[in-house]
Amino acid sequence: MADQLPSRSENFSEWYNTIVQRADLADYGAAKGTMIIKPYGYALWENIQTYLDKRFKKHGAKNAFFPTFIPLSYIQREKEHVEGFTPNLWLVASGGGETLEEPYAVRPTSETTINMTVRNWIHSYRDLPLLLNLWNSCFRYELRTRLFLRTSEFLWQEGHTFHASWDEANEYALAILTDAYLDFYANAAAMPSLAGRKSEKEKFPGADITYTLEQMMGDGRALQGCTAHNLGHNFAKSFDIRYLDRGNELQYAATASWGLSTRAIGAILMTHGDDKGLLMPPRIAPTQIVIVPIFGKHADPAPVLAAAKQLARELADYRVEIDARDDKSPGFKFNDWEMRGVPLRIEIGPKDIEKNQVVLARRDTGEKKFVSNAELLAQVAQTLDSIHDTLYARAKKFQDDHTFSVDTYAEFQARTAGEGGAGFLMAHWCGNRECETAIQQETKATIRCIPFVQTKEAGKCIRCDGASQERVVFAKAY
Ligand SMILES: [Zn+2]
């Protein structure tokens, strides 16, 4: 038996750090703060990419590539943007042994370099909207790192879109948030989201509005699952992106940008799982089904292996693995695949072959049942859907059970005390940045979002008693 996993319920952080490495998802790279994504983790990312890429294309976005090196002067062109990104910027000062005349920033995000380029692509209203998406990695210097959650380089997609009007940019950002990201989290990752907009303090540097999906992790902390920004005319003005409208008048374009990164993998791992290990949502699980042939002690293994291979051929529409290791017991294999979070296991032994049946075992409930070969395909499809539904329902119940309406600062402080997460705290806030900063300093809780859906209700700011028209969502966050 391998070392016992740390308990998820008792030591969530240790559980996460151990499982990411033990399940062969990722490891630290040689350069400080960098991440190696191993095949099992990368397969999960590929499934996320495939799901999202289709939806972006449905909304008209086309994939492109822009360089990793960005002249520093580009980054400095938008004032709020440069202030926001400078603390995390990597710079290249020399190349080929020569000091560069102007250092290059190593892409923290591509707004600046794209804007400098497409200003030459956009001339008239006929060139709009221009809808681009990039699949690449970006670089942010980080002191404290954690696999998938915070590393100096991570994978993501960044969408950059150019529109004729502020309203159009806004609509597009919202469409991506709901039709692509919200849909992905709900229908692929089996995760509920809280949708809303960021406060002025928490929004993207250079944006008019930042929209976000916030999710609750298994320890009651929040994680920002993605963002979509309406950049209004800010970047278009800094980079002079203008077009001739139908009346032949010069107008500034409006822009939007939107992104989802490999942090989503961290979110998936921290939402689902238990003391046995991970629990991959079936629709994007790297391996959806593992077939474990049960070789009888003295029987010939060949017919069982052949039957397992035949099963895998029948299940060709799924991502299937056969665990044919001959030096490991079935019990060891069961634990191993449960730790890796494979949603469905099929066991087949000599007796099952005789009876034309297999055993289906669910990772989420532990339930096992015999299924005849004739019913196998229908049962597999139904069971994977049922696992998806169960995971979503569990995550939703956890989120609901850890969402609190808080009306006094004493209660707010009590709920945020200690090291653990505090859940989502729905509280009134006056709208002042100073008050928001003070709350963060005193409790480590930040405003995660001002939710789209809520009942309008006047109240008093929990900290200063100032007037408030709606509740905002505070949480301790990753
Ligand atoms: Zn206040």
Side-chain angles (χ1 to χ4, degrees):
M1 234 355 251
D3 291 344
Q4 200 118 59
L5 271 177
S7 154
R8 185 177 186 267
S9 45
E10 285 161 26
N11 195 341
F12 191 82
S13 175
E14 268 300 299
W15 175 86
Y16 179 81
N17 292 337
T18 307
I19 196 87
V20 166
Q21 287 177 290
R22 198 176 290 174
D24 278 329
L25 290 160
D27 209 342
Y28 287 102
K32 194 171 170 293
T34 57
M35 169 169 63
I36 294 158
I37 304 179
K38 296 164 108 174
Y40 192 51
Y42 201 81
L44 180 55
W45 180 239
E46 284 178 317
N47 295 338
I48 294 171
Q49 280 186 307
T50 304
Y51 194 95
L52 285 173
D53 203 62
K54 266 189 211 145
R55 270 143 194 90
F56 298 154
K57 285 175 178 154
K58 222 172 86 186
H59 283 273
K62 290 187 172 149
N63 288 335
F65 180 80
F66 275 74
T68 306
F69 295 159
I70 303 174
L72 187 58
S73 59
Y74 287 18
I75 305 266
Q76 288 163 339
R77 227 172 147 109
E78 216 288 337
K79 189 173 157 289
E80 276 186 36
H81 191 71
V82 65
E83 278 170 17
F85 279 103
T86 297
N88 301 97
L89 215 53
W90 288 91
L91 288 177
V92 175
S94 70
E98 302 288 329
T99 302
L100 299 178
E101 252 174 61
E102 179 187 353
Y104 296 142
V106 188
R107 173 177 55 227
T109 177
S110 299
E111 274 81 0
T112 57
T113 187
I114 287 190
N115 278 268
M116 277 301 267
T117 306
V118 305
R119 57 196 288 214
N120 302 317
W121 300 0
I122 293 170
H123 306 287
S124 102
Y125 68 90
R126 291 184 195 89
D127 301 321
L128 297 173
L130 175 63
L131 311 169
L132 299 174
N133 178 58
L134 321 178
W135 289 100
N136 57 24
S137 67
C138 73
F139 300 78
R140 314 241 173 113
Y141 181 82
E142 299 286 356
L143 269 176
R144 297 179 62 191
T145 56
R146 207 162 190 207
L147 293 171
F148 292 120
L149 300 176
R150 200 169 286 280
T151 49
S152 289
E153 179 184 10
F154 56 86
L155 303 183
W156 74 343
Q157 60 68 218
E158 43 174 328
H160 296 274
T161 57
F162 300 80
H163 307 267
S165 70
W166 193 98
D167 285 344
E168 221 184 85
N170 201 55
E171 263 169 46
Y172 196 85
L174 281 170
I176 292 292
L177 189 84
T178 52
D179 296 347
Y181 296 148
L182 192 75
D183 172 79
F184 159 73
Y185 275 114
N187 295 317
M191 287 167 63
S193 304
L194 187 67
R197 66 187 158 85
K198 290 285 184 186
S199 66
E200 289 296 301
K201 177 175 175 289
E202 297 285 332
K203 75 180 186 185
F204 178 77
D208 275 356
I209 308 178
T210 288
Y211 300 110
T212 179
L213 298 183
E214 301 287 325
Q215 282 105 20
M216 190 184 293
M217 304 296 99
D219 60 349
R221 276 179 192 268
L223 187 139
Q224 176 184 296
C226 60
T227 45
H229 318 291
N230 177 356
L231 305 170
H233 299 295
N234 304 329
F235 281 85
K237 284 184 176 165
S238 302
F239 290 86
D240 195 26
I241 305 175
R242 286 186 289 176
Y243 69 96
L244 282 171
D245 70 10
R246 283 168 190 274
N248 227 23
E249 301 268 340
L250 264 183
Q251 305 283 356
Y252 281 109
T255 67
S257 65
W258 30 279
L260 181 144
S261 74
T262 37
R263 280 198 115 197
I265 294 180
I268 290 164
L269 306 180
M270 291 198 296
T271 298
H272 309 301
D274 54 29
D275 286 348
K276 290 178 177 175
L278 300 174
L279 222 169
M280 294 287 185
R283 290 171 194 165
I284 47 172
T287 301
Q288 294 169 297
I289 303 165
V290 60
I291 300 171
V292 180
I294 314 287
F295 307 123
K297 266 220 166 110
H298 306 291
D300 176 10
V304 182
L305 199 55
K309 284 181 179 164
Q310 176 56 32
L311 272 181
R313 278 193 291 274
E314 283 167 31
L315 295 165
D317 286 346
Y318 298 94
R319 296 180 288 276
V320 182
E321 294 251 5
I322 300 174
D323 188 345
R325 289 179 284 183
D326 59 5
D327 59 338
K328 299 281 187 261
S329 71
F332 177 95
K333 293 178 183 179
F334 295 173
N335 287 334
D336 195 36
W337 294 104
E338 281 173 2
M339 183 269 291
R340 285 167 210 275
V342 174
L344 193 59
R345 179 175 77 232
I346 299 180
E347 302 164 19
I348 183 163
K351 279 201 184 119
D352 301 313
I353 296 172
E354 268 171 38
K355 293 184 184 171
N356 281 316
Q357 66 178 30
V358 296
V359 175
L360 282 195
R362 292 171 67 134
R363 170 65 180 85
D364 58 340
T365 58
E367 187 196 335
K368 282 172 92 158
K369 65 175 176 186
F370 290 104
V371 171
S372 73
N373 288 355
E375 281 171 35
L376 181 67
L377 280 177
Q379 282 290 325
V380 163
Q382 202 182 70
T383 309
L384 287 173
D385 273 343
S386 167
I387 295 171
H388 173 90
D389 293 344
T390 304
L391 292 190
Y392 186 90
R394 275 184 195 170
K396 181 73 172 74
K397 182 172 187 316
F398 186 84
Q399 182 185 307
D400 291 346
D401 289 349
H402 293 80
T403 300
F404 308 100
S405 259
V406 178
D407 291 314
T408 68
Y409 202 47
E411 188 191 343
F412 193 96
Q413 285 175 304
R415 288 207 177 272
T416 49
E419 282 306 298
F424 288 153
L425 306 178
M426 317 274 299
H428 280 287
W429 165 62
C430 57
N432 288 329
R433 201 184 183 115
E434 294 71 31
C435 214
E436 186 181 356
T437 306
I439 293 170
Q440 181 177 1
Q441 283 163 353
E442 288 159 11
T443 68
K444 292 189 181 139
T446 49
I447 297 179
R448 303 318 303 159
C449 73
I450 302 158
F452 292 146
V453 182
Q454 63 172 312
T455 8
K456 285 279 171 195
E457 166 205 80
K460 286 178 175 176
C461 173
I462 43 158
R463 191 171 177 282
C464 74
D465 281 346
S468 153
Q469 296 312 311
E470 59 190 344
R471 287 177 188 267
V472 300
V473 179
F474 288 89
K476 285 160 70 172
Y478 280 98

